[in-house]
Amino acid sequence: MSFLKIHDLHPYHAKFYPGIPQYFLQKYATNTSIVLDPFCGSGTTLLECNNAGIQSVGVDINFLSVKISRAKTNVYDIAKVEQYIQVILEYQSDCDIIFPDAHIWFTESNYQELCKLYTAIQLIDNAPYKELFEVILSSILNRVCNKRDTWNLGYLSDNILPNKESTLSVKKEFERKCKWLIPAIKETTYFINKAQVQNTDAATFQSIQPFDMIITSPPYPFAVDFARNNRLSYYLFGEDIEEATTAETGARNKRNKKNCESDFFAEMQKIYLNLFSLVREGCYFCMTVSDTKRNNQQINFVQWLIDLFEVNKWSISENTIRQLQHQSMGQKRIVEEHLLVFKKH
């Protein structure tokens, strides 16, 4: 099965597989449905809603998720994109940007290239195009940074500093990604962007208009550090990574804290009770979810969710299991996930 190229605009750990929202939309949505994704991540559900001509709203507490989701779902003029690419690549003024441990994370030449590209992008006066190129620059950071002999996102998340220089060029990788971008955008020129994206907490998000359907994948307990995996992007955009880490429900780095499991379920209950209040009677709540482990003990997230829905007068419509052959979660022991569908009565 082939999917829109623009799904790959930016790497995203534990990314939502596009076929899942496609399946849910085809089975449970109508042309007039308004869909909510309260953990929109990299915007997979929103993009598939655009592809189906369906109105959607995405919510995420992670600022970078919101940037990626907006960049994916906006509609662009290809000629303007090509013009901006040329202007950005030709920018030559010397400049410096504030970037913690910049000369540890990047070679001197890559740091200078990063400064020029970032500064050129900030000069773009058209907000959607500026954000698009910010996302493209962000998308290559983990690839071009210095590393160690062995390296993965866990090192980056735990702020283990690199000691081996990268052989890649920031400018060449940015240029390569821009070349990839043109055919990806051409696939979406027929879109009408019906997606709205909000940078807020799903526990407090409110909407005047009720939703007909929710499609999402919530954070699994202690499986991924979404903010810390994008540490370099937080540095680049001057965002507070510690504040983001504290706000992130179920982050991997919280797995050894006292009362972490009870805190996780208390946070999730607050979120889900709020979501229950945002939807119409007859609404479908569709999601992928999995159990995880902590200290070799099973965390029964799936059954906890089923119980929470049932006690709040939702009936289960579907509970199927999907095997994860190429999953990218921090916990490699996650080998399957449930596709759950509930209906509100």
Side-chain angles (χ1 to χ4, degrees):
M1 184 179 294
S2 62
F3 299 108
L4 293 166
K5 290 184 178 69
I6 203 70
H7 275 300
D8 294 326
L9 179 63
H10 195 292
Y12 201 83
H13 211 43
K15 199 173 188 178
F16 208 7
Y17 174 63
I20 295 173
Q22 274 190 11
Y23 165 74
F24 287 144
L25 288 169
Q26 289 169 3
K27 189 168 183 179
Y28 298 105
T30 68
N31 291 338
T32 59
S33 293
I34 304 175
V35 176
L36 170 67
D37 186 345
F39 309 100
C40 70
S42 65
T44 303
T45 294
L46 310 183
L47 185 58
E48 288 303 323
C49 284
N50 268 3
N51 197 20
I54 292 173
Q55 187 175 343
S56 64
V57 175
V59 169
D60 209 291
I61 201 168
N62 186 315
F63 96 99
L64 184 61
S65 296
V66 172
K67 275 186 173 291
I68 298 169
S69 296
R70 283 198 298 246
K72 279 185 178 179
T73 52
N74 276 325
V75 179
Y76 304 97
D77 181 288
I78 293 174
K80 282 186 179 180
V81 171
E82 292 175 330
Q83 290 170 5
Y84 282 126
I85 291 172
Q86 184 176 356
V87 170
I88 294 167
L89 292 174
E90 290 178 354
Y91 185 81
Q92 290 299 325
S93 296
D94 291 334
C95 49
D96 290 299
I97 58 174
I98 298 174
F99 195 107
D101 297 318
H103 298 290
I104 299 176
W105 285 110
F106 298 100
T107 64
E108 179 60 30
S109 60
N110 272 342
Y111 171 67
Q112 292 301 324
E113 289 176 357
L114 179 62
C115 289
K116 289 177 182 179
L117 291 171
Y118 180 79
T119 303
I121 291 168
Q122 297 313 301
L123 296 175
I124 296 175
D125 59 3
N126 187 314
Y129 290 85
K130 175 183 174 182
E131 189 159 60
L132 172 65
F133 288 107
E134 285 181 335
V135 169
I136 291 174
L137 186 57
S138 170
S139 76
I140 67 170
L141 293 181
N142 290 357
R143 176 172 168 79
V144 300
C145 70
N146 297 334
K147 299 177 174 65
R148 302 178 77 88
D149 286 330
T150 58
W151 191 259
N152 56 48
L153 283 178
Y155 284 71
L156 191 67
S157 296
D158 296 336
N159 200 25
I160 297 174
L161 294 174
N163 60 10
K164 186 176 181 180
E165 289 192 350
S166 172
T167 59
L168 299 176
S169 160
V170 165
K171 187 171 183 179
K172 287 181 180 178
E173 289 301 309
F174 181 83
E175 188 172 8
R176 178 189 62 80
K177 192 63 177 279
C178 287
K179 289 180 180 177
W180 168 91
L181 178 66
I182 301 304
I185 288 177
K186 285 181 179 177
E187 290 185 344
T188 65
T189 52
Y190 66 92
F191 279 5
I192 298 173
N193 183 12
K194 295 188 174 185
Q196 299 177 28
V197 192
Q198 296 190 30
N199 187 191
T200 191
D201 189 342
T204 57
F205 168 68
Q206 291 294 305
S207 173
I208 297 174
Q209 190 169 20
F211 295 96
D212 304 297
M213 189 175 184
I214 295 178
I215 300 177
T216 197
S217 181
Y220 298 177
F222 318 118
V224 177
D225 286 312
F226 288 105
R228 290 188 175 190
N229 284 349
N230 291 291
R231 173 182 300 279
L232 302 183
S233 296
Y234 272 77
Y235 290 168
L236 179 66
F237 297 115
E239 295 287 333
D240 189 329
I241 193 167
E242 294 309 319
E243 181 180 323
T245 297
T246 301
E248 188 177 314
T249 299
R252 182 185 69 96
N253 64 84
K254 295 180 178 179
R255 67 194 181 282
N256 294 323
K257 292 186 176 180
K258 185 179 179 180
N259 301 323
C260 65
E261 288 189 41
S262 59
D263 288 347
F264 171 79
F265 284 113
E267 290 175 28
M268 293 306 293
Q269 179 167 327
K270 182 180 178 181
I271 289 170
Y272 273 86
L273 292 180
N274 183 50
L275 296 177
F276 292 164
S277 71
L278 301 177
V279 297
R280 302 178 190 275
E281 185 176 322
C283 164
Y284 287 99
F285 199 125
C286 310
M287 63 183 148
T288 58
V289 67
S290 178
D291 294 333
T292 58
K293 289 185 178 181
R294 175 178 173 266
N295 298 330
N296 292 319
Q297 297 295 315
Q298 184 98 342
I299 302 176
N300 296 313
F301 189 29
V302 176
Q303 189 58 53
W304 180 86
L305 278 169
I306 292 172
D307 294 342
L308 181 69
F309 273 82
E310 289 182 344
V311 79
N312 283 280
K313 312 302 182 186
W314 292 70
S315 62
I316 191 163
S317 301
E318 188 172 340
N319 182 2
T320 57
I321 294 176
R322 172 177 175 254
Q323 299 300 316
L324 301 179
Q325 297 179 348
H326 303 290
Q327 62 93 7
S328 61
M329 230 109 31
Q331 293 195 18
K332 294 300 182 183
R333 291 164 291 184
I334 301 176
V335 296
E336 65 181 28
E337 62 186 7
H338 290 248
L339 273 66
L340 295 178
V341 180
F342 298 91
K343 187 174 184 179
K344 184 176 182 179
H345 296 288

